[in-house]
């Protein structure tokens, strides 16, 4: 097994952990909607009502499918790291993470009465998705650096 393959699989493991956390969120919200589960927060805590719930679930399923595909491809070492893509993913992931940090901060302070800001649980799982983007970006950015270097 090459170093690149090992590295790709290590990144894949981290991405799968983050994906697993997001899948937990989607399943937990579906369970809370359909069953009375006192161990989990109520439905409203999971949903900030920005999107109608059926639309949200469809988007979440699409996100899970895309992330699963990326994890499988990475496990198979079938993703060629590209520095430019890594840069874009790192920028997007950083902005996404920062916006969610701002959302959480405002929701815990001055906008605690505003529904979108006051729902902390969705924000936590947005951190999970932003982290997925950042880890994927880090993989592309760092692993592409030496790929095309020629010995002197």
């Amino acid at each position: 097994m090459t170093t690149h393959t090992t590295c790709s699989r290590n990144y894949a493991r981290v991405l799968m952990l983050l994906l697993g956390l997001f899948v937990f969120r989607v399943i937990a919200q579906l369970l809370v909607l359909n069953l009375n589960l006192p161990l989990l927060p109520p439905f409203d805590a999971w949903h900030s009502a920005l999107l109608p719930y059926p639309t949200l679930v469809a988007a979440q399923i699409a996100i899970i499918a895309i992330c699963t595909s990326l994890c499988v491809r990475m496990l198979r070492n079938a993703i060629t790291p590209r520095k430019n893509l890594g840069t874009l993913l790192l920028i997007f992931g950083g902005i996404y993470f920062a916006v969610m940090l701002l959302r959480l901060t405002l929701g815990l302070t001055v906008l605690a009465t505003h529904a979108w800001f006051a729902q902390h649980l969705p924000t936590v799982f947005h951190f999970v998705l932003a982290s997925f983007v950042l880890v994927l970006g880090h993989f592309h950015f760092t692993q592409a650096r030496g790929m095309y270097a020629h010995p002197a």
Side-chain angles (χ1 to χ4, degrees), residues 12 15-16 19 61-79 132 136:
L15 292 174
M16 288 187 302
L19 177 58
I61 290 170
I63 290 167
I64 290 168
I66 291 165
C67 292
T68 299
S69 172
L70 287 167
C71 288
V72 168
R73 289 177 57 219
M74 192 166 284
L75 277 172
R76 293 180 178 164
N77 200 31
I79 293 179
F132 189 99
L136 186 60

Side-chain angles (χ1 to χ4, degrees), residues 8-71:
S8 179
R9 288 189 178 157
N10 289 338
Y11 276 97
R13 287 182 186 105
V14 174
L15 292 174
M16 288 187 302
L17 173 65
L18 293 166
L19 177 58
L21 290 170
F22 185 69
V23 169
F24 165 77
R25 180 255 193 270
V26 174
I27 291 171
Q29 187 174 8
L30 282 168
L31 289 173
V32 168
L33 177 65
N34 294 300
L35 303 170
N36 183 13
L37 297 174
L39 295 175
L40 293 173
F43 179 82
D44 290 341
W46 297 90
H47 189 61
S48 58
L50 187 61
L51 294 173
Y53 186 64
T55 305
L56 176 66
V57 172
Q60 289 170 331
I61 290 170
I63 290 167
I64 290 168
I66 291 165
C67 292
T68 299
S69 172
L70 287 167
C71 288

